[in-house]
């Protein structure tokens, strides 16, 4: 069995990562998702253990000390990190897994796992990003301002990614994301076991 693949998804807050992924998992229910551990306050519409495990700073720092994180970062004053064990287990098990991380987290993962595939979600414009964050209504004006301040620095690093998707028309963007996963599965290194088995039978 070939190993699963790691897909990294990043994009500024409000670019539509969650919306896109909800649609992607409907199309590709076989994909696994890495649940991050984070220290920010839970939002009204969030369920613990769905996208995030909400933990204290002390618990998070213990995970750092015990080397239990594949990557982590501080974003607008809170820790966000990817627990290592579930990601490695999925890959070993042959499952493809998606991690959603910020640009710093993505750089850390790329360094450790250069075979991963990374995708940056871009809003059609900064104005649209601002209005989506305001319409979502999950953060105070101050917190929206802090997220928009981070956004430009994140967008400036979009070139570090293998792919960029503009999330303007939602269905088009979801199809593009799904296509990236489909084509990744056709890569020669993912089919090496089959290639070898055909050759071995005829030797
Ligand atoms: P992120 O996870 O990147 O922070 P969200 O998925 O929460 O972003 O999207 C931010 C807001 O933008 C949400 O209110 C969502 O409904 C809206 N949104 C996402 N994608 C689109 C799109 N293609 N067109 C219009 N609105 C969108
Ligand atoms: P939010 O608070 O809007 O859910 O997420 C804020 C930012 O943290 C987003 O850019 C999101 O991609 C990023 N993020 C979510 N989970 C992780 C994680 O596990 N590690 C890192 N480094 N960033 C994360």
């Amino acid at each position: 069995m070939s190993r699963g693949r790691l897909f990294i998804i990043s994009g500024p807050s409000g670019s539509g990562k969650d919306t896109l992924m909800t649609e992607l998992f409907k199309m590709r229910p076989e994909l696994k998702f890495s649940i991050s551990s984070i220290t920010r306050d839970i939002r009204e519409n969030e369920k613990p253990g769905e996208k995030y495990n909400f933990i204290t700073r002390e618990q998070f720092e213990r995970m750092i000390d015990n080397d239990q994180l594949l990557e982590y970062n501080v974003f607008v004053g809170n820790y966000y990190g990817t627990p290592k064990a579930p990601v490695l287990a999925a890959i070993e098990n042959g499952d493809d897994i998606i991690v959603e991380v910020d640009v710093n987290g993505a750089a850390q993962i790329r360094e450790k796992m250069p075979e991963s595939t990374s995708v940056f979600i871009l809003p059609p414009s900064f104005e649209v990003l601002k209005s989506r964050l305001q319409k979502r209504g999950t953060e105070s004006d101050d917190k929206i301002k802090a997220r928009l301040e981070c956004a430009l620095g994140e967008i400036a690093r979009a070139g570090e990614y293998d792919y960029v998707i503009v999330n303007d028309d939602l269905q088009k963007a979801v199809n593009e994301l799904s296509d990236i996963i489909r084509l990744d599965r056709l890569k020669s290194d993912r089919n090496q076991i089959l290639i070898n088995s055909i050759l071995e039978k005829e030797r």
Side-chain angles (χ1 to χ4, degrees):
M1 183 181 54
S2 60
R3 282 157 62 81
R5 195 78 128 200
L6 181 64
F7 292 93
I8 305 170
I9 311 280
S10 303
S13 180
S15 59
K17 300 179 295 298
D18 277 4
T19 310
L20 272 170
M21 271 185 289
T22 302
E23 296 306 313
L24 177 71
F25 285 109
K26 287 184 199 159
M27 287 173 81
R28 296 196 173 277
E30 76 283 7
L31 287 170
K32 305 281 179 230
F33 180 73
S34 158
I35 299 171
S36 298
S37 291
I38 71 169
T39 63
R40 83 154 155 69
D41 292 338
I42 187 165
R43 292 176 188 148
E44 228 170 66
N45 60 337
E46 287 178 320
K47 289 196 193 86
E50 205 169 71
K51 178 181 176 193
Y52 293 135
N53 283 319
F54 297 88
I55 63 174
T56 64
R57 291 186 81 84
E58 291 70 33
Q59 287 171 318
F60 198 99
E61 283 165 0
R62 217 170 301 130
M63 290 181 86
I64 300 175
D65 292 343
N66 294 335
D67 193 27
Q68 289 172 311
L69 295 169
L70 182 60
E71 62 72 39
Y72 71 94
N73 190 43
V74 175
F75 180 82
V76 194
N78 285 300
Y79 280 124
Y80 290 73
T82 305
K84 198 191 289 181
V87 172
L88 299 185
I91 292 172
E92 273 310 307
N93 198 38
D95 292 326
D96 290 341
I97 182 160
I98 301 216
V99 297
E100 192 220 295
V101 294
D102 78 311
V103 289
N104 292 308
Q108 292 173 50
I109 297 178
R110 241 181 251 116
E111 183 126 350
K112 289 182 186 162
M113 304 172 84
E115 70 286 6
S116 56
T117 298
S118 60
V119 184
F120 193 89
I121 311 298
L122 203 58
S125 69
F126 195 71
E127 279 313 306
V128 169
L129 182 69
K130 196 170 161 183
S131 97
R132 282 185 188 167
L133 273 177
Q134 284 163 342
K135 274 198 210 138
R136 189 171 72 184
T138 49
E139 271 89 16
S140 62
D141 286 351
D142 273 4
K143 289 203 170 138
I144 290 179
K145 197 163 163 267
R147 279 160 186 263
L148 287 171
E149 278 164 12
C150 286
L152 290 178
E154 293 183 86
I155 292 170
R157 293 179 61 181
E160 294 174 17
Y161 288 71
D162 296 315
Y163 299 98
V164 170
I165 291 178
V166 180
N167 178 23
D168 191 356
D169 177 289
L170 179 64
Q171 199 50 54
K172 181 168 176 279
V174 176
N175 288 340
E176 286 169 348
L177 189 52
S178 180
D179 282 348
I180 289 170
I181 290 163
R182 184 172 59 81
L183 290 177
D184 196 85
R185 290 178 176 158
L186 303 181
K187 283 190 169 168
S188 55
D189 64 330
R190 297 203 73 174
N191 292 285
Q192 201 56 51
I193 291 173
L194 176 63
I195 295 167
N196 291 346
S197 83
I198 292 174
L199 292 175
E200 271 160 25
K201 274 192 195 132
E202 298 307 319
R203 265 186 201 129

